[in-house]
Amino acid sequence: MSQHDFRTKALAIAEQRLPDSINKEDSLVEISGEKKTTIKNWLYSDKRPPRGKRLTIADRFGVDASYLFDNAPYSLPLTKFDESLNCYFVPELKLSQITCLSETAPLPVSARVTISLPAFILENMQSVEQTYCVVSSGIDYEPFITATDTIFFNTTAKRIKGNFYILVGSDTSIVRMENDGTLKCNQGKSVTLATNDKIIPIVITLSSGFANHAR
């Protein structure tokens, strides 16, 4: 991919996210968090961010690093595997961003959580890249999932009875699938899905002391 492709993509995302901004340099500064001199190098000196910063930069733009810097198709930020650490860097979302996963607009990520996923969890996913996490405050399911826990969910994971799920609908909440397939909220009441509701499997939960947040 040429340097021009990176510039074109970065500018297109900046225009989409900051449509009222007149100055392209200022738009890129605001989105990337980089200095204006760095932005000028991107635009006019055919330079790109060093490899060690590309994941962070792509997260700030709200797209996958392989799309922004390589020839991969357009995608929102994805979970990345680090061979040297033998662990995954999972995008951490805000609670309000969960509903945005079904959209195509850029989805800025401010942090990632480092985690090692055991084989039995990976076997239940079609794509580990579709793993995300969120702090459960506001949707906690006491006493199993507390408000300070970080919950990891995967949109391609199998639905297993007895497990917990994020219910995405008019309100976001956590439900549990009973052995008979019914869904129940934290108060023990059965939940009926509306037409546009969906449930996303929670694959693992970490307490605040174990979650390794990075950015």
Side-chain angles (χ1 to χ4, degrees), residues 35-165:
K35 297 178 181 179
K36 198 159 189 175
T37 52
T38 300
I39 300 304
K40 288 180 179 294
N41 285 331
W42 292 357
L43 294 176
Y44 311 120
S45 299
D46 289 336
K47 292 186 178 181
R48 289 194 287 177
R51 291 194 176 275
K53 292 191 66 175
R54 289 185 185 182
L55 182 59
T56 298
I57 296 297
D59 281 351
R60 291 171 181 169
F61 275 90
V63 296
D64 180 49
S66 296
Y67 163 75
L68 187 60
F69 297 105
D70 299 308
N71 292 320
Y74 177 84
S75 173
L76 301 181
L78 297 170
T79 284
K80 299 295 184 181
F81 181 69
D82 188 297
E83 292 185 358
S84 63
L85 298 176
N86 193 30
C87 63
Y88 294 89
F89 295 154
V90 180
E92 181 178 0
L93 304 181
K94 299 175 183 177
L95 190 59
S96 60
Q97 289 180 306
I98 295 178
T99 58
C100 301
L101 289 174
S102 59
E103 302 174 1
T104 58
L107 186 67
V109 172
S110 60
R112 286 181 179 252
V113 178
T114 305
I115 187 173
S116 178
L117 295 173
F120 74 90
I121 290 180
L122 296 174
E123 290 170 356
N124 288 326
M125 303 177 187
Q126 293 181 25
S127 172
V128 67
E129 291 185 331
Q130 299 293 329
T131 303
Y132 299 90
C133 66
V134 66
V135 176
S136 59
S137 178
I139 58 171
D140 45 286
Y141 197 110
E142 296 282 1
F144 306 102
I145 300 175
T146 66
T148 58
D149 289 344
T150 298
I151 53 177
F152 295 77
F153 56 97
N154 183 287
T155 57
T156 71
K158 295 179 181 178
R159 296 184 179 182
I160 301 174
K161 294 178 180 179
N163 284 6
F164 293 94
Y165 298 79

Side-chain angles (χ1 to χ4, degrees), residues 177-197:
M177 182 179 289
E178 301 298 319
N179 291 330
D180 62 0
T182 60
L183 301 173
K184 289 192 175 180
C185 66
N186 198 19
Q187 291 75 33
K189 297 179 180 179
S190 295
V191 176
T192 301
L193 297 182
T195 302
N196 295 323
D197 290 353

